Amino acid sequence: MEKPETILVVDDSADTVEMLRRNLASRGFAVLTATSVTQAVKVLETAQVGLVVTDIKMPDIDGFSLMRHIRENYKAIAVLAITGFPTIDGAIRAMKTGAEEYLIKPFTDEELFSAVDRSLRRLRLTQRTHTRTIMPERCGLVGESPAMMAVFDAIARAASSTATVLIQGESGTGKELIARAIHYNSARARFPFVAVNCGGIPESLFESELFGYVKGAFSGATSTRAGFFQTADRGTILLDEISEASLAMQVKLLRVLQEREISLLGSSKPIKVDVRITAATNRDLYDHTLKGLFREDLFYRLNVITVSAPPLRERQEDIPLLAEHLLGVISEKYDRRPPRFSEEALEVMRQYSWPGNVRELENLIHRLTAMCTSDIIEIPDLPPSMRFSATCNSGLSRTLSQVEAEYVRDVLASVGGNKSTAAKILGVDRKTLREKLRKTGD
Ligand SMILES: Nc1ncnc2c1ncn2[C@@H]1O[C@H](COP(=O)(O)OP(=O)(O)OP(=O)(O)O)[C@@H](O)[C@H]1O
Ligand SMILES: [Mg+2]
């Protein structure tokens, strides 16, 4: 017999929790419970949970925050969101935040069971595609090109040390996946991975979000709250888009890197933190230091190990593999049998320059999966800009007069510029040749 799946039920109402616990246990599931997000986060740290069933509206911290925490830290946990206040926006937000399913109160036992089954099945399907095409320790990073092999080597080296890592690369090249892979292959894998978008936090909130605050630190600080660094304790933090941190923020980050301690806002007592620091940027950070936009001392503290995420155009040979991998994952999300790419369509995709890198490829495949009705994706299904750049590269887009002009020039060159000989070879008289040369500007 397979081990029963463990479900964590989270709801601020103890009655609802008990009702769900009884129902799910009667179906053979192992059930854990929590009546707040904080409690749920603690349970997740120690228990092997397969599915979290969570209420959305809860006092203090809501279900969305829990979903985000799960998506950022536990790829293998499915989420079923429950709400008593249905709105379309809420449903869309729940799905975007990472819920596999969404259930509206009140619901029957049958509705609950089938939603639980669907959530678990979805998750297993995505896990299967992951293990089918990639090794689990690569955390979703696909590629066999020499450029990606170098990345996998760098990840392995970084994972076996505790040094700070700077991940550089263009937008959409997988920098966040690389940071996750480093964490999940390191000795810290059992502890949280916390990604912080330095560009997304307003300057005024930066300190309280990163370092937390004590009750009464400012008006509105009604209780003491942990910051990202404490949440990531014993785990790994990713300071994403580090180039966006202001100079004032950089000073505060430098202190953490040097002292390995933080102070909660409103408290003067420093607290030791044990966090592996990784940072990512799509800017040339060294160039930023030269321009005075980034502190040089912070740059050197961050840049102990560097990992470069290669753009897609430098690993074109990975495109068919990536496209197939993404088609599998995305089709299963849409409950579709994955279509195939025709050889020609794949060739066009290989030739394209992919300014948006893997994210652009992923978006394209989302659109193709949603819109393509046949089993095979052909060249006409691809966006016009991609088809256009392909014809430019293949040399098949020249007009007849362009070809003629080139041929005339070649012939003329081959006879040392002698116009009468060239005219003879071309089968025209000298006047016609002169006409043609005038038209092409020679
Ligand atoms: N090698 C890869 N294999 C599979 N999927 C990848 C790979 N690289 C990137 N992706 C996917 O592409 C998308 C973008 O990746 P990610 O968010 O890690 O990029 P990023 O470098 O952090 O981009 P940005 O600078 O815009 O934040 C993600 O959905 C990710 O899963
Ligand atoms: Mg990123």
Side-chain angles (χ1 to χ4, degrees), residues 140-143 148 169-178 240-241 281-282 309 315 322 325-326 358-359 362:
L141 279 166
V142 174
M148 275 311 285
E170 287 174 24
S171 184
T173 46
K175 295 186 292 295
E176 189 171 335
L177 286 187
I178 292 174
D240 207 357
E241 302 193 27
T281 180
N282 53 23
R315 49 187 192 105
L322 262 170
H325 162 76
L326 293 168
V358 188
R359 180 172 301 114
E362 201 173 18

Side-chain angles (χ1 to χ4, degrees), residues 244-263:
E244 303 308 301
S246 70
L247 288 164
M249 297 177 188
Q250 292 172 28
V251 175
K252 305 207 160 104
L253 290 173
L254 182 65
R255 179 175 161 225
V256 186
L257 276 151
Q258 280 171 336
E259 318 288 338
R260 297 285 157 174
E261 59 184 34
I262 56 161
S263 295

Side-chain angles (χ1 to χ4, degrees), residues 28-40:
F29 292 109
V31 187
L32 301 169
T33 60
T35 50
S36 73
V37 170
T38 320
Q39 230 180 47

Side-chain angles (χ1 to χ4, degrees), residues 341 345 348-349 352 354 360-361 363-365 367-368 371 377-391:
F341 281 103
V348 168
M349 289 167 64
Y352 179 64
W354 298 105
E360 184 182 2
L361 177 60
N363 288 343
L364 169 69
I365 291 179
R367 243 179 308 138
L368 290 174
M371 286 162 51
I377 298 170
E378 308 267 11
I379 292 179
D381 298 317
L382 300 176
S385 57
M386 197 172 282
R387 281 181 276 148
F388 175 73
S389 78
T391 42

